[in-house]
Amino acid sequence: MKRAINTHKRNLRQMQARAFTCPVREKEFVTAGITIEREFGRAVVLADPRRMRQVLLTLLDNACRYAPGGTVAVQTFTAENRAGMRCLDTGPGMPLDAQVRAFDRFWRGDDSRARVSGGSGLGLSIVKAIARLHHGDATMDTSRKEGLAVEIWVPL
């Protein structure tokens, strides 16, 4: 089954900025003690704004669950012939062996399996699927010693 996306030429910076205008979401960040830092560079792409918003909100939801009380930096930028969005948190991070499976459907790390408030294990796999629908990809920055950095790349 082919998934449909409704693409428009948009600036990732504007798409991501709009994701923060929802009062309900803002309350969730406050409740989790999450401080959000925004570093939005210009990155014009052909993308589905609703899907890109879904990507950001999924990453922020993960930060609320697994990095409460921390800081999350959301960045948009360009590099070579692609645009990127990066979500970095100051939480406990994820072991390298777990990062290999983190984008697998229904996979959850050991700590999250025991959590009553844990998710379904679909969040990061959906993020990767949305990136691929846009002819891009989702990756983790494995060079970080602490916290977690998820990057979404789409062509310019």
Side-chain angles (χ1 to χ4, degrees):
M1 178 173 109
K2 180 130 173 110
R3 293 181 184 95
I5 57 174
N6 187 13
T7 59
H8 303 280
K9 194 168 192 171
R10 298 282 167 90
N11 190 335
L12 273 179
R13 170 178 52 191
Q14 292 168 335
M15 284 189 268
Q16 302 316 338
R18 285 188 189 117
F20 292 104
T21 60
C22 175
V24 173
R25 287 294 184 166
E26 198 67 39
K27 184 178 177 186
E28 289 174 17
F29 306 144
V30 170
T31 301
I34 296 287
T35 301
I36 298 175
E37 297 175 353
R38 298 163 180 93
E39 301 170 28
F40 297 149
R42 184 169 163 77
V44 178
V45 296
L46 191 60
D48 183 329
R50 290 184 319 136
R51 295 291 181 212
M52 297 310 283
R53 180 177 189 268
Q54 182 181 3
V55 164
L56 177 60
L57 293 177
T58 298
L59 295 175
L60 291 174
D61 182 56
N62 278 353
C64 287
R65 287 178 198 221
Y66 306 116
T71 299
V72 178
V74 179
Q75 306 164 336
T76 59
F77 51 92
T78 58
E80 298 173 11
N81 59 347
R82 0 179 247 175
M85 179 181 64
R86 182 181 298 130
C87 222
L88 309 120
D89 70 45
T90 58
M94 185 182 292
L96 192 54
D97 60 327
Q99 290 181 26
V100 173
R101 300 201 53 215
F103 290 104
D104 293 350
R105 289 185 305 160
F106 302 111
W107 184 85
R108 296 172 62 200
D110 289 336
D111 291 339
S112 66
R113 284 191 187 112
R115 294 176 61 108
V116 173
S117 64
S120 63
L122 288 172
L124 290 177
S125 66
I126 290 170
V127 165
K128 189 169 198 91
I130 291 170
R132 287 188 170 166
L133 281 171
H134 288 84
H135 307 288
D137 203 3
T139 61
M140 287 196 185
D141 180 353
T142 58
S143 66
R144 293 178 52 87
K145 300 293 182 221
E146 54 189 46
L148 188 65
V150 178
E151 298 178 347
I152 312 307
W153 294 95
V154 295
L156 288 174

